[in-house]
Amino acid sequence: MNIPQHVWARGYERHPPHEPLFGRYIRIDLSASPNLSMTFDAVSHMVECGQQASEVVPFSRVAWSLVFLGVEPTERERIAEVQQEYLQMWERHPDVWPKVQRREGVFSVWFVDRALRPFLGCVCEEAPWDVWVSGRDVREERIYQKFLAEGQPPIMMALNAVHASELNELWGARPAQQAA
């Protein structure tokens, strides 16, 4: 499958002594208003391939984060379109969520405004549309602070996708753009 240019991914590994945990961020630039159905088909493909790759490491888990850039909190219609397409992705690809769930993965979705403030998010553990939280900056909400304080590893990995250091320009640039 050809991955559209407005979709790119980054991964990292974290190895606590008792279990490996992998993090995968899929960043999606919505500023050019891409076709959302094709976008989410690419996301589903990337998640499926990432899950297969993680299965070679015994007892490993993957925390997934989709980070949507290029949309503002005032663009409610566009946000609703993205949320609807997110739900339809799971319906079009019903085999993907069981693979995430079987490996005790966490899946999260974040909308980040142009000032790099995460203003809407969804953290999914039991189903792909579990807990939506919203606010001017998700990092200031009580649920985010609660997860942060409790240090729940799988949740923390997903919530780290909205950490300021992971939203900076250098992180978000594609390799060719970083060299420029």
Side-chain angles (χ1 to χ4, degrees):
M1 165 177 239
N2 288 331
I3 305 300
Q5 289 187 350
H6 65 279
V7 179
W8 67 103
R10 175 185 180 210
Y12 65 91
E13 299 178 19
R14 181 173 149 189
H15 296 284
H18 59 284
E19 64 179 291
L21 183 61
F22 300 90
R24 299 287 184 258
Y25 297 143
I26 299 176
R27 296 177 59 112
I28 302 164
D29 184 359
L30 296 179
S31 59
S33 298
N35 178 300
L36 291 177
S37 180
M38 290 174 52
T39 298
F40 278 100
D41 284 343
V43 167
S44 174
H45 177 75
M46 293 169 83
V47 169
E48 191 161 17
C49 291
Q51 286 298 124
Q52 289 173 355
S54 72
E55 289 178 8
V56 301
V57 179
F59 310 108
S60 68
R61 296 184 302 154
V62 179
W64 290 93
S65 285
L66 301 185
V67 180
F68 289 94
L69 305 168
V71 71
E72 292 293 313
T74 56
E75 299 176 69
R76 295 176 194 261
E77 189 173 303
R78 185 66 169 159
I79 292 167
E81 290 173 11
V82 172
Q83 288 175 318
Q84 185 60 37
E85 195 58 45
Y86 169 76
L87 297 177
Q88 289 177 9
M89 172 185 73
W90 299 111
E91 293 173 11
R92 283 195 312 270
H93 305 280
D95 55 322
V96 177
W97 180 254
K99 293 175 183 175
V100 172
Q101 194 175 32
R102 182 175 64 239
R103 308 270 308 167
E104 296 181 0
V106 175
F107 206 96
S108 64
V109 179
W110 300 105
F111 287 86
V112 179
D113 67 15
R114 287 176 187 89
L116 299 180
R117 292 176 298 214
F119 64 89
L120 180 64
C122 175
V123 179
C124 315
E125 284 189 285
E126 301 297 325
W129 48 83
D130 267 342
V131 183
W132 283 95
V133 294
S134 64
R136 189 61 226 134
D137 189 328
V138 172
R139 293 167 297 195
E140 295 172 8
E141 291 202 13
R142 281 192 293 199
I143 190 166
Y144 180 86
Q145 294 299 321
K146 177 181 178 265
F147 287 143
L148 193 67
E150 290 176 358
Q152 299 175 27
I155 295 295
M156 275 303 301
M157 295 296 274
L159 288 174
N160 280 345
V162 297
H163 190 276
S165 66
E166 293 175 357
L167 293 173
N168 66 35
E169 289 294 321
L170 183 62
W171 188 95
R174 293 176 179 271
Q177 293 171 326
Q178 289 176 356

